[in-house]
Amino acid sequence: MCGIVGYIGQKEAYPIVLKGLKRLEYRGYDSTGVAIIQEGNLQVHKKKGKVAELEEAVVGKNMHSHICIGHTRWATHGEPSDRNAHPHLSNNGRLAMLHNGIIENYAQIKKELLSKGYTFKSDTDTEVLLNFIQDIQDNNKSTLEEALRIALKRIVGAYCILLIDQDDPETIIAARKGSPLVIGIGKGEHFLASDASPIIEYTKEVVYVNDYEIAIVKADELILKNLGNEKQTPFIQKLDMELAAIEKGGYDHFMLKEIFEQPDTIFDCLRGRLLHDQHQIVMAGVDNHIDALTNASRIMIVACGTSWHAGLVAEYMIEELCRIPVEVEYASEFRYRNPVIHPGDVIIAISQSGETADTLVALESAKEKGAFIFGVVNAVGSSIARLSHAGAYTHAGPEIGVASTKAFTGQLAVLSMMALKMAKAKGSISDERYVHLVNELASVPEKVKEILTDTSKIESIAQQYKGASDFLYLGRGYNFPIALEGALKLKEITYIHAEGYPAAEMKHGPIALVDENLPVVFVATKDMYYEKVVSNIQEIKARKGQVIAVATVGDTVLPTMSDNIMFVPEIDEVFAPLLSVIPLQLLSYYVGIYKGIDVDKPRNLAKSVTVE
Ligand code: G6P
């Protein structure tokens, strides 16, 4: 994880890096640090806590410099503390380096360095790599670039590093493998960052650095090389992103802004693809590979976290509409359990960031075994997007709040269109049902807007239950993954323990938890399971549980048996998840707010998990 920013050019570097780090805090925020060079002197300032705490700590200090590298951390090796914060200094005090990733074989290298007399101020793998570079440089009398190249060949793990040398204040050296790095090209200046959000304000021309590449970055020069020291041609891309999209736009929190953006983001995702009047779906990634997708004997979906929940919804959709067996896999399990993959097997990878390490590595190994990879990704140009053979972007725009909201509904929208399109091509859906579902899908943005018009009821439910210590979330069919997602959202941003369960399965365990203090959220919209869910609600009521229901507008039964109710408009059950998740996102948000939690940056979490 961690966010990385660097600047070299004519402007004051520190304010640019600081602002960039604030934009990258979603990647981690347990400590912050910067390094600058002032008249040949390397200076490092770092502090445990969020970026604002470092900003405060350096007030009044001379931060004047035209070169700066900065880091916002999500701890892997070593607890969050001042001394474990990046950048780290080499033993000779000349080099400063910061790092996003994990060096897996650091212990062996550290042992070697300790025997040579090196000392370490931190518990990090980063400081080990840095001193390893210094050691190679000293022994071989090589340039820093050469020493870095030799060191990286010995390293096992993932990294994006930025390195500066006080004897060369005109250069930032960067390298990546597995952790992202974008370089923005300005006029006589360069920007380096983990994603484009710190760069967009200054330039739209960027280069995405590839794995095993080293970048030698000066104010007016950018050289890319591979680890074999061969020059690579930088591929300059134009960013299709506006600054406004990554700012709060009047909302108190990014999470709230992102929840309220959903009518637009879902609309943007469908726009130009779901040709509602013509009852057609145009998705180049699917069109070009329709045979591979529809002839698949099975489809595997690989993802983590909220994206995994979107995968579960897709399983229900694809199996029902396309009659193709689907398996949904946690990427972290899939990558290590030697899964059976045959050439031509289809894997759908779902990821907001496109950088989740477990998902990325799982896909790399599946690709090697001949699988066809289809990426459903939000971050344009991200590693998973580039690794996929084909794909469809979710077009939700930058998602900054750590808890995923609009990216999730974007994923559902893409997967819905895919399932419909594949079903139509395969002939596994009647024309009548196809047309009906196309119309229903097109109605989603308006219906989401309706849910968001009045949130007062949800706010009052949040107020009522903010003191609960546990929640149970139950749903069946298409709403089962939404019960899981509702519980995950609550855990993430309120720190209340919550469990999601299939409503019928609760009899086999969770029912033992039910008493008058336990809020039980039923996702109980009108679908083929409705009557059965009503029976499950009775079972909870009989044990005095507090029932909070997500119900379809016009339902007159559930209000008589629920303590609280949140309504969503009527829709075909296939697309119910796109609506029923919205009140659950809001419920978590308001409980988090009432508990005084920083919902955009909840403890211990990070938005983009680039470590395994
Ligand atoms: C982290 C985030 C979640 C996200 C998950 C998968 O845990 O906090 O919101 O669902 O990673 O991330 P991805 O970017 O691959 O969707």
Side-chain angles (χ1 to χ4, degrees):
M1 243 94 70
C2 310
I4 280 180
V5 188
Y7 174 83
I8 186 157
Q10 308 316 316
K11 300 194 183 102
E12 280 299 333
Y14 164 71
I16 293 175
V17 168
L18 190 80
K19 199 168 185 189
L21 289 176
K22 287 184 180 163
R23 296 224 162 99
L24 287 184
E25 270 193 306
Y26 72 84
R27 300 177 64 85
Y29 35 80
D30 62 42
S31 42
T32 314
V34 293
I36 53 176
I37 303 174
Q38 287 179 330
E39 290 159 14
N41 279 323
L42 183 57
Q43 288 192 26
V44 170
H45 301 273
K46 49 190 194 174
K47 189 142 185 55
K48 180 179 171 193
K50 294 181 181 160
V51 178
E53 288 167 57
L54 175 81
E55 187 179 12
E56 225 168 87
V58 302
V59 167
K61 294 207 165 101
N62 175 8
M63 298 301 285
H64 172 70
S65 180
H66 296 297
I67 179 169
C68 180
I69 57 173
H71 187 268
T72 174
R73 180 171 187 247
W74 186 86
T76 54
H77 288 84
E79 55 162 16
S81 63
D82 289 357
R83 67 187 182 87
N84 283 333
H86 299 214
H88 295 281
L89 279 173
S90 57
N91 271 203
N92 62 13
R94 273 186 20 223
L95 308 175
M97 190 174 93
L98 47 80
H99 167 217
N100 166 28
I102 289 187
I103 307 300
E104 289 170 17
N105 57 341
Y106 83 102
Q108 174 58 33
I109 298 170
K110 186 168 185 175
K111 212 163 126 197
E112 290 169 23
L113 292 171
L114 283 168
S115 72
K116 290 181 175 180
Y118 280 83
T119 56
F120 295 91
K121 294 196 172 71
S122 76
D123 308 317
T124 65
D125 50 348
T126 309
E127 197 186 6
V128 174
L129 173 57
L130 176 59
N131 282 306
F132 185 41
I133 296 167
Q134 181 203 307
D135 192 52
I136 296 170
Q137 198 182 11
D138 290 350
N139 289 338
N140 298 8
K141 304 274 172 277
S142 52
T143 63
L144 182 57
E145 189 194 322
E146 278 160 7
L148 172 65
R149 213 168 24 243
I150 297 168
L152 293 182
K153 285 187 185 154
R154 179 80 208 271
I155 289 306
V156 178
Y159 55 81
C160 166
I161 57 166
L162 301 189
L163 179 60
I164 56 175
D165 177 350
Q166 73 171 10
D167 295 343
D168 182 8
E170 308 303 327
T171 312
I172 298 175
I173 301 187
R176 91 156 253 188
K177 191 223 146 191
S179 304
L181 175 63
V182 193
I183 300 180
I185 302 169
K187 287 200 175 68
E189 58 186 357
H190 283 105
F191 308 82
L192 302 95
S194 303
D195 74 25
S197 57
I199 297 176
I200 184 78
E201 189 174 343
Y202 310 101
T203 175
K204 290 205 165 180
E205 298 210 321
V206 296
V207 172
Y208 287 93
V209 178
N210 291 311
D211 277 350
Y212 303 108
E213 281 181 349
I214 293 181
I216 299 106
V217 189
K218 298 176 187 292
D220 45 20
E221 189 180 33
L222 165 63
I223 298 174
L224 278 187
K225 290 184 178 176
N226 62 17
L227 291 188
N229 200 24
E230 292 158 338
K231 279 199 179 172
Q232 308 292 301
T233 311
F235 174 55
I236 301 174
Q237 298 188 38
K238 245 195 153 54
L239 283 176
D240 178 21
M241 189 198 272
E242 294 305 326
L243 184 60
I246 50 171
E247 297 196 325
K248 276 191 206 148
Y251 287 92
D252 289 343
H253 299 94
F254 282 113
M255 184 180 176
L256 192 64
K257 171 182 172 245
E258 287 158 6
I259 291 174
F260 274 83
E261 273 175 352
Q262 289 176 106
D264 294 333
T265 51
I266 299 170
F267 183 80
D268 285 346
C269 179
L270 302 177
R271 186 173 47 200
R273 292 167 163 173
L274 187 80
L275 308 180
H276 172 214
D277 300 342
Q278 298 154 47
H279 300 127
Q280 256 197 48
I281 298 170
V282 181
M283 297 171 90
V286 180
D287 288 318
N288 296 339
H289 300 277
I290 196 73
D291 290 341
L293 290 164
T294 53
N295 293 335
S297 54
R298 65 174 176 157
I299 291 177
M300 283 165 278
I301 298 182
V302 177
C304 300
T306 289
S307 300
W308 187 82
H309 295 154
L312 277 187
V313 175
E315 175 184 24
Y316 283 73
M317 286 176 178
I318 296 173
E319 292 208 338
E320 182 189 336
L321 302 176
C322 310
R323 309 307 301 151
I324 300 172
V326 177
E327 288 161 33
V328 188
E329 304 269 2
Y330 284 116
S332 52
E333 290 297 312
F334 183 78
R335 64 181 282 197
Y336 283 118
R337 69 168 173 75
N338 196 11
V340 181
I341 298 170
H342 301 296
D345 275 353
V346 170
I347 295 191
I348 300 180
I350 309 177
S351 176
Q352 187 288 125
S353 62
E355 301 293 349
T356 301
D358 282 323
T359 311
L360 190 56
V361 179
L363 297 177
E364 278 165 356
S365 75
K367 194 175 177 184
E368 269 168 31
K369 291 180 182 156
F372 171 74
I373 316 282
F374 190 96
V376 177
V377 173
N378 193 37
V380 176
S382 56
S383 301
I384 294 175
R386 287 183 292 148
L387 180 137
S388 302
H389 293 106
Y393 283 118
T394 43
H395 294 318
E399 190 180 66
I400 312 291
V402 162
S404 187
T405 53
K406 64 174 181 171
F408 177 69
T409 47
Q411 291 164 347
L412 295 184
V414 163
L415 293 161
S416 303
M417 287 188 284
M418 263 184 92
L420 272 176
K421 193 165 173 57
M422 285 162 57
K424 178 87 168 115
K426 198 163 183 268
S428 52
I429 189 171
S430 71
D431 285 349
E432 201 186 351
R433 179 129 176 86
Y434 172 80
V435 169
H436 167 71
L437 287 179
V438 165
N439 289 338
E440 287 288 85
L441 187 54
S443 74
V444 169
E446 270 310 307
K447 289 178 179 168
V448 172
K449 203 183 262 175
E450 260 176 64
I451 303 171
L452 294 170
T453 20
D454 182 8
T455 59
S456 54
K457 178 70 189 166
I458 302 173
E459 286 177 57
S460 84
I461 300 174
Q463 178 71 270
Q464 200 177 331
Y465 293 103
K466 64 175 193 278
S469 56
D470 298 275
F471 268 71
L472 196 54
Y473 282 71
L474 302 173
R476 294 180 85 144
Y478 284 98
N479 278 327
F480 161 54
I482 298 308
L484 296 183
E485 175 60 9
L488 178 65
K489 281 289 85 79
L490 195 81
K491 278 183 279 208
E492 284 178 313
I493 57 165
T494 73
Y495 313 153
I496 296 175
H497 168 252
E499 253 187 271
Y501 239 76
E505 186 67 16
M506 60 110 181
K507 295 190 289 296
H508 302 288
I511 199 164
L513 302 173
V514 179
D515 62 16
E516 65 280 9
N517 298 318
L518 184 76
V520 184
V521 179
F522 273 94
V523 193
T525 52
K526 283 277 174 68
D527 57 20
M528 64 181 282
Y529 303 96
Y530 175 76
E531 301 299 338
K532 296 195 182 301
V533 178
V534 168
S535 306
N536 297 142
I537 294 178
Q538 304 280 21
E539 288 157 7
I540 296 291
K541 276 321 296 171
R543 287 154 185 87
K544 301 198 164 42
Q546 294 280 312
V547 170
I548 304 166
V550 177
T552 305
V553 166
D555 188 326
T556 50
V557 177
L558 288 188
T560 64
M561 54 178 73
S562 309
D563 299 275
N564 278 289
I565 201 147
M566 303 181 279
F567 284 110
V568 295
E570 193 174 354
I571 195 156
D572 190 286
E573 65 180 27
V574 175
F575 305 128
L578 280 147
L579 304 188
S580 46
V581 75
I582 310 284
L584 302 186
Q585 294 170 345
L586 285 165
L587 182 65
S588 302
Y589 172 80
Y590 288 116
V591 174
I593 294 301
Y594 290 135
K595 291 189 73 175
I597 288 166
D598 182 351
V599 294
D600 282 340
K601 299 185 199 110
R603 70 183 177 206
N604 303 340
L605 295 176
K607 180 134 197 83
S608 184
V609 183
T610 54
V611 294
E612 68 169 284

